[in-house]
Amino acid sequence: MATAGSLIGGFVTYRLARRGGKAALERRFSRRKVDKVCEIFERWGFGAIVIPALLPPPVPMVPFLLAAGAMQYPVRKFLAALALGRISRYMLLAYLAARYGRQIIAFIRVHGHPVVLAIIVVLLATAAVVFFFWGGAKAKRRRGK
C-alpha cells in the first residue's frame, strides 16, 4: 500500500511538471537549482529517479520527479524507476522491522526516555550547526552580490 500511494503521488507530481514544462520549474526554483537537477537527470535518467526513491527523507525526491516530467521522460520508464526504488526501500524496511522490531521495542521500553532525550539533543545540536554554517554562507553570498 505504501508503494501504491507513493507511485500515485509521484505520478501526480510528474504529470503536473510535464504539463508545465521546464519553464514552470524555472518559475518555482532558482535557475541554478533547475539546471543542476536537469543535468543530473540527463546524465543518470533512470537512476536519478531510483536512487532518491531508495534513500530516506532528507534526500530530496520531488525535484527529480519534477525534472522527469518537465523533460518529458517516458511514463513507463518513470513509473518503473519509481516503483523499483520504492519497492526496494519498503521491502528493506519491512525486513528490518520483522528482524529487529521486537528487540528495538524492548530496548525503548527499558531505556526509552534517556534515548529519546539524547536523540532530540543530537538533532537540535546538528540543526543549530547546520543553520549556523549554512545561514552564514547564505548571508555572505547576499552581501557579496
Side-chain angles (χ1 to χ4, degrees), residues 17 28 36 63-64 70 74 76 113:
R28 291 204 66 128
K36 183 172 176 125
F64 295 100
R76 287 184 185 192
H113 297 295

Side-chain angles (χ1 to χ4, degrees), residues 93 95-112 115:
L93 289 174
Y95 169 75
L96 291 173
R99 178 76 173 98
Y100 300 107
R102 291 187 195 278
Q103 291 128 341
I104 291 171
I105 290 171
F107 180 82
I108 291 172
R109 194 174 296 131
V110 173
H111 306 290
V115 170

Side-chain angles (χ1 to χ4, degrees), residues 47-125:
I49 299 168
V50 173
I51 300 301
L54 274 169
L55 299 175
V59 175
M61 176 77 186
V62 174
F64 295 100
L65 301 177
L66 293 171
M71 297 178 74
Q72 308 295 313
Y73 195 69
V75 176
R76 287 184 185 192
K77 284 185 178 182
F78 170 78
L79 288 174
L82 188 58
L84 177 66
R86 288 303 189 184
I87 287 171
S88 300
R89 178 175 177 208
Y90 296 141
M91 283 179 63
L92 177 63
L93 289 174
Y95 169 75
L96 291 173
R99 178 76 173 98
Y100 300 107
R102 291 187 195 278
Q103 291 128 341
I104 291 171
I105 290 171
F107 180 82
I108 291 172
R109 194 174 296 131
V110 173
H111 306 290
H113 297 295
V115 170
V116 170
L117 185 60
I119 290 171
I120 290 171
V121 168
V122 168
L123 289 174
L124 288 174

Side-chain angles (χ1 to χ4, degrees), residues 123-135:
L123 289 174
L124 288 174
T126 303
V129 169
V130 168
F131 179 75
F132 177 76
F133 287 110
W134 187 62

